[in-house]
Amino acid sequence: EIVMTQSPATLSVFPGERATLSCRASQSVSNKLAWYQQKPGQAPRLLIYGASIRATGIPARFSGSESGTEFTLTINSVQSEDLALYYCQQYHNWPGTFGLGSKVEIK
Amino acid sequence: EVQLVESGGGLIPPGGSLRLSCVASGFMFSDHWMNWVRQPPGKGLEWVGRLNSGGTGSHYSDSVRGRFTISRDNAKNTLYLEMNNLRVEDTALYYCVTRLTTDASLDHWGPGTLVTVSS
């Protein structure tokens, strides 16, 4: 089973700042990497798939990138509504495994 | 609009059985794989299992294989999760999820139904 490691566990940012979240896969997942946003009391929402493709309706301030087995989710100009948990997930191999999540707090 | 609505959750003692349902609308249900993903209270996500469009091929996580069975009724646009020999560690919010976008992962989620396994 592929292990996904996310960092940091918590990130605190001011509105308007950039937030950078990382995710590392224990082995190659090609570009089969997704990012999800989960707000309190809600189901997860797909933000990014294929490592860098924004899902339908996702604002342009969210972007994804990859370098080997290292993946990054960047939120440019964080808004108050971006307060949430962010999970990465590989879907290269079954079972598609999730990281433990990174919490974004707004200062 | 795509909608997935789960039901059937509740409080069940260890060793018991429960069947969850998920009614889908807003897309051609019979054309798509369907999935169950769960989330224990305050914890992360686990992909429990998936079933192909015709209901003939499935995959399960190691933690539920042999105890859980996913099935579907394409005429009723409904997905099921039959859970047997439930354990305390199966306590979670269970989401019905699908993928409608080519090459994406899980792009449409229901709100979930809570299963609590406790004596």
Side-chain angles (χ1 to χ4, degrees):
Chain A
E1 182 174 294
I2 298 175
V3 177
M4 307 302 292
T5 303
Q6 291 188 243
S7 63
T10 303
L11 183 65
S12 188
V13 296
F14 286 102
E17 286 189 334
R18 175 182 295 171
T20 302
L21 306 179
S22 297
C23 174
R24 172 183 295 176
S26 62
Q27 64 188 74
S28 174
V29 298
S30 185
N31 68 338
K32 302 299 185 186
L33 190 285
W35 289 95
Y36 300 86
Q37 176 193 63
Q38 186 175 34
K39 295 182 178 180
Q42 296 185 17
R45 176 175 72 150
L46 179 67
L47 295 176
I48 301 285
Y49 65 93
S52 61
I53 303 170
R54 273 191 304 278
T56 302
I58 301 303
R61 66 179 182 275
F62 292 92
S63 63
S65 63
E66 65 173 299
S67 177
T69 58
E70 300 272 353
F71 299 87
T72 301
L73 175 69
T74 302
I75 312 173
N76 283 307
S77 189
V78 168
Q79 308 295 304
S80 58
E81 64 260 30
D82 298 333
L83 163 72
L85 270 164
Y86 292 84
Y87 293 96
C88 65
Q89 181 221 4
Q90 67 79 19
Y91 53 104
H92 179 64
N93 284 354
W94 176 262
T97 42
F98 294 85
L100 294 180
S102 290
K103 183 177 181 180
V104 172
E105 296 181 337
I106 309 299
K107 288 181 181 177
Chain B
E1 180 194 0
V2 174
Q3 283 200 321
L4 299 166
V5 180
E6 306 90 339
S7 62
L11 176 62
I12 192 85
S17 298
L18 200 62
R19 188 177 82 158
L20 306 183
S21 300
C22 168
V23 176
S25 60
F27 65 103
M28 192 62 70
F29 179 77
S30 59
D31 284 351
H32 296 278
W33 284 73
M34 295 296 297
N35 309 266
W36 288 99
V37 176
R38 69 183 180 181
Q39 185 171 36
K43 296 188 177 180
L45 299 160
E46 179 188 12
W47 199 341
V48 171
R50 62 183 180 183
L51 181 66
N52 67 6
S53 58
T56 58
S58 59
H59 301 97
Y60 297 93
S61 67
D62 288 346
S63 61
V64 307
R65 188 177 297 113
R67 300 187 299 123
F68 289 14
T69 302
I70 303 175
S71 61
R72 63 194 295 161
D73 185 335
N74 285 343
K76 294 182 178 179
N77 285 357
T78 302
L79 178 73
Y80 303 101
L81 179 64
E82 187 78 37
M83 303 184 293
N84 296 313
N85 192 20
L86 281 160
R87 305 168 180 169
V88 171
E89 55 265 34
D90 295 320
T91 295
L93 190 60
Y94 284 74
Y95 295 105
C96 172
V97 194
T98 192
R99 182 198 79 173
L100 303 183
T101 303
T102 303
D103 293 333
S105 181
L106 303 167
D107 58 0
H108 288 85
W109 297 62
T113 186
L114 181 63
V115 173
T116 303
V117 184
S118 174
S119 54

